[in-house]
């Protein structure tokens, strides 16, 4: 009963530590999203694209004109001294809204680019975090193995003094220690690189502390395997951006067609007329106001508008083909990521089992060597295997979680 209580307590403690570590990672993701220069750049590009909508969706500026007669034009009601005119052009019905739709769809495509950048940033932060966890564990495991070899070295010295072993055993341990210390130095240098990379992703001080758990949790697939590919096709930000571009070029075709239709001009004019002392008409000296004056702009040169329509159609086809190609690429990437996820699961189970067996074998060999000085070379070989299994186990944890992080990126999370 006491053992069950201890096991249950340890299990609860592990869950609490895992939850805290995941909260730490969520906090890092929030910092990255708030600080990322690239994310700010893509968001500002989206905001700039949104400003295109009011630019293309409004009427052209009205035209005002003023004319002054240096030599007044005489009329029966008096000399014309000055003329004011104001004209407004009106495009064909629906043209302005179609232009606004084009700009809106392009802006939505920019927004999907922003969301894709954010999803990719989260994937990179998670992967960098898992890699940093692995290098921390690699350093810890390597140090533990160096300590084990130091014990072997002391044991071999005792046996050499007792005359039950040769100096060869000590030299073999020295060789192993030199290899491990060199590997440890490499891991320490790699840790610095990973730390700088992670903190740069968060746009903070390169030497800032990174908190990782004692044992990395194991993420699972965000959706059932059969649903994942459908979700990728429905939610991937790159595909959604291409959908908006297709819609934009469809609306661009509408714009091109309406551009080839007549435009209307409505205006007014006001003429200042002076008094004619020789005239007796009732309108003598009365200003002239004309409203409305109506005109029509007829687009006679059709080649230009046909080319605009064809251009929009070709761009639609190009984006449709690009979307099909992207779907094929994403399908291949997903299958490869699924393979890495399954491989991670297999490696976790395999290396955990192999580590447990190697520990038991090593314990037995140490006992054997302590009593009769045999199998020392086998002791070192198993010790090397144990180190490899432990490192591979931690690497498998990091790789599995990285594959899940990439799946979340593919579905736009």
């Amino acid at each position: 009963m006491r053992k069950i209580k201890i096991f249950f307590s340890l299990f609860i403690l592990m869950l609490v530590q895992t939850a805290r570590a995941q909260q730490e990672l969520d906090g890092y993701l929030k910092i990255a999203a708030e600080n990322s220069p690239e994310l700010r750049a893509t968001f500002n590009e989206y905001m700039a694209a949104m400003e295109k909508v009011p630019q293309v969706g409004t009427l052209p500026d009205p035209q005002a004109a003023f004319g002054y007669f240096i030599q007044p034009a005489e009329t029966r009601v008096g000399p014309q001294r000055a003329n004011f005119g104001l004209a407004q052009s009106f495009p064909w019905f629906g043209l302005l809204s179609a232009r606004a739709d084009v700009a809106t769809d392009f802006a939505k495509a920019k927004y999907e680019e922003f969301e894709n950048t954010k999803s990719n940033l989260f994937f990179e932060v998670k992967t960098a975090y898992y890699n940093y966890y692995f290098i921390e564990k690699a350093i810890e495991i390597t140090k533990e193995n160096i300590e084990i070899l130091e014990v072997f070295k002391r044991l071999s010295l005792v046996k050499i003094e007792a005359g039950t072993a040769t100096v060869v055993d000590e030299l073999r341990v020295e060789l192993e220690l030199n290899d491990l210390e060199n590997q440890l130095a490499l891991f320490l240098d790699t840790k610095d690189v990973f730390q700088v990379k992670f903190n740069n992703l968060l746009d903070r001080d390169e030497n800032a502390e990174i908190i990782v758990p004692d044992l990395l949790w194991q993420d699972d697939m965000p959706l059932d395997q059969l649903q994942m590919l459908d979700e990728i096709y429905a939610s991937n930000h790159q595909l959604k951006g291409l959908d908006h571009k297709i819609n934009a070029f469809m609306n661009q075709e509408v714009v091109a067609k309406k551009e080839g239709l007549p435009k209307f001009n409505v205006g007014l004019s006001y003429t200042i007329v002076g008094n004619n002392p020789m005239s007796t008409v009732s309108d003598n000296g009365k200003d002239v106001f004309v409203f409305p004056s109506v005109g029509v702009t007829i687009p006679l040169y059709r080649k230009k508008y046909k080319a605009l329509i064809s251009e929009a159609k070709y761009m639609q086809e190009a984006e449709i083909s690009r979307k099909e190609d992207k779907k094929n690429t994403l399908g291949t990437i997903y299958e490869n990521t699924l393979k890495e996820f399954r491989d991670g699961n297999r490696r976790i189970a395999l290396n955990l089992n192999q580590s447990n067996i190697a520990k038991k074998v090593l314990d037995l060999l140490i006992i054997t060597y302590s009593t009769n000085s045999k199998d020392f070379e086998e002791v070192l070989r198993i010790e090397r295997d144990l180190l490899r299994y432990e490192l591979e186990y931690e690497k498998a944890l990091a790789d599995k979680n990285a594959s899940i992080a990439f799946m979340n990126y593919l579905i736009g999370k």
Side-chain angles (χ1 to χ4, degrees):
M1 180 64 71
R2 184 170 177 273
K3 289 183 178 180
I4 294 176
K5 289 182 178 179
I6 293 174
F7 174 79
F8 184 74
S9 299
L10 291 174
F11 178 73
I12 294 297
L13 180 62
M14 184 181 70
L15 289 179
V16 171
Q17 290 177 338
T18 298
R20 287 177 180 171
Q22 289 175 323
Q23 288 177 355
E24 288 288 346
L25 179 55
D26 290 340
Y28 291 142
L29 294 175
K30 185 173 183 291
I31 293 172
E34 292 173 348
N35 295 349
S36 170
E38 183 182 12
L39 203 57
R40 286 198 299 271
T42 53
F43 181 75
N44 285 329
E45 287 177 348
Y46 158 67
M47 294 300 294
M50 285 297 295
E51 295 299 326
K52 287 281 187 182
V53 178
Q55 295 178 44
V56 300
T58 55
L59 289 170
D61 293 330
Q63 293 182 334
F66 170 75
Y68 179 77
F69 296 93
I70 297 176
Q71 182 68 38
E74 291 291 344
T75 67
R76 70 183 186 86
V77 295
Q80 294 182 352
R81 301 191 181 280
N83 179 268
F84 296 92
L86 184 66
Q88 175 66 60
S89 176
F90 293 91
W92 191 262
F93 307 103
L95 176 59
L96 294 179
S97 62
R99 285 176 177 172
D101 290 340
V102 172
T104 300
D105 280 318
F106 277 126
K108 288 179 179 178
K110 277 293 181 183
Y111 180 76
E112 293 302 331
E113 183 179 333
F114 160 73
E115 287 290 342
N116 185 68
T117 302
K118 183 175 72 172
S119 296
N120 185 63
L121 174 65
F122 284 177
F123 162 68
E124 289 185 350
V125 170
K126 290 176 183 178
T127 302
Y129 183 81
Y130 301 143
N131 286 336
Y132 186 82
Y133 162 83
F134 166 71
I135 207 67
E136 283 271 34
K137 297 300 292 186
I139 291 170
E140 178 185 328
I141 292 169
T142 304
K143 287 180 176 179
E144 289 174 356
N145 277 267
I146 289 175
E147 291 176 2
I148 293 172
L149 285 178
E150 291 288 355
V151 172
F152 289 166
K153 183 178 179 180
R154 290 193 294 270
L155 179 60
S156 65
L157 289 173
V158 170
K159 294 182 74 62
I160 290 170
E161 291 177 0
T164 57
T166 66
V167 72
V168 174
D169 289 352
E170 180 191 358
L171 294 175
R172 285 174 176 169
V173 176
E174 285 288 348
L175 289 173
E176 292 293 328
L177 278 171
N178 291 338
D179 286 340
L180 277 186
E181 286 170 357
N182 179 70
Q183 188 173 5
L184 177 61
L186 177 60
F187 284 151
L188 290 170
D189 287 342
T190 305
K191 175 186 174 182
D192 292 339
V193 174
F194 285 174
Q195 184 176 14
V196 169
K197 179 179 180 180
F198 182 83
N199 285 319
N200 281 341
L201 286 170
L202 272 61
D203 195 33
R204 64 178 190 174
D205 184 74
E206 293 179 349
N207 298 314
E209 181 186 9
I210 305 171
I211 300 174
V212 295
D214 293 331
L215 179 63
L216 187 64
W217 65 89
Q218 294 188 46
D219 286 330
D220 210 343
M221 290 183 63
L223 292 170
D224 182 81
Q225 180 182 335
L226 297 176
Q227 297 176 320
M228 271 297 298
L229 200 55
D230 289 338
E231 184 64 21
I232 290 172
Y233 291 157
S235 302
N236 182 266
H237 291 302
Q238 291 176 308
L239 291 178
K240 290 167 75 173
L242 289 171
D243 282 335
H244 289 307
K245 287 183 179 180
I246 291 170
N247 289 336
F249 288 118
M250 290 175 65
N251 286 318
Q252 187 67 54
E253 183 181 352
V254 175
V255 169
K257 290 177 179 178
K258 290 183 180 294
E259 290 277 10
L261 297 174
K263 299 177 180 63
F264 305 99
N265 300 290
V266 178
L268 60 86
S269 65
Y270 187 87
T271 303
I272 299 176
V273 180
N275 287 316
N276 184 349
M278 305 298 293
S279 176
T280 59
V281 298
S282 61
D283 290 338
N284 182 26
K286 186 176 181 180
D287 296 341
V288 179
F289 177 66
V290 178
F291 177 82
S293 61
V294 180
V296 179
T297 301
I298 301 175
L300 295 178
Y301 304 105
R302 307 304 303 168
K303 187 175 181 180
K304 167 187 173 181
Y305 302 105
K306 288 180 181 178
L308 288 172
I309 294 171
S310 296
E311 178 188 358
K313 289 181 177 179
Y314 283 131
M315 291 305 298
Q316 288 176 50
E317 292 299 323
E319 295 302 327
I320 290 171
S321 298
R322 191 169 284 116
K323 180 182 177 182
E324 287 301 312
D325 180 66
K326 177 58 69 174
K327 287 178 69 175
N328 292 337
T329 301
L330 289 174
T332 302
I333 291 173
Y334 166 67
E335 288 298 330
N336 187 63
T337 308
L338 181 60
K339 180 207 71 172
E340 292 176 354
F341 168 74
R342 290 169 174 167
D343 181 59
N345 269 334
R346 287 192 297 266
R347 286 161 51 209
I348 289 170
L350 172 65
N351 288 290
L352 182 59
N353 185 54
Q354 296 292 79
S355 295
N356 291 332
I357 295 174
K359 287 176 184 177
K360 292 177 182 178
V361 173
L362 186 60
D363 290 341
L364 293 174
L365 288 175
I366 291 174
I367 294 172
T368 302
Y369 178 72
S370 300
T371 56
N372 57 22
S373 302
K374 293 181 179 180
D375 298 326
F376 187 68
E377 187 172 346
E378 188 67 13
V379 170
L380 295 181
R381 188 184 69 80
I382 291 298
E383 190 276 334
R384 285 196 299 270
D385 288 343
L386 177 59
L387 172 62
R388 178 165 56 86
Y389 294 141
E390 289 177 334
L391 291 176
E392 286 295 328
Y393 171 73
E394 299 295 347
K395 188 67 169 66
L397 285 175
D399 289 347
K400 176 188 174 181
N401 278 13
S403 67
I404 295 301
F406 193 69
M407 286 187 186
N408 281 319
Y409 162 72
L410 291 177
I411 60 175
K413 288 188 176 181

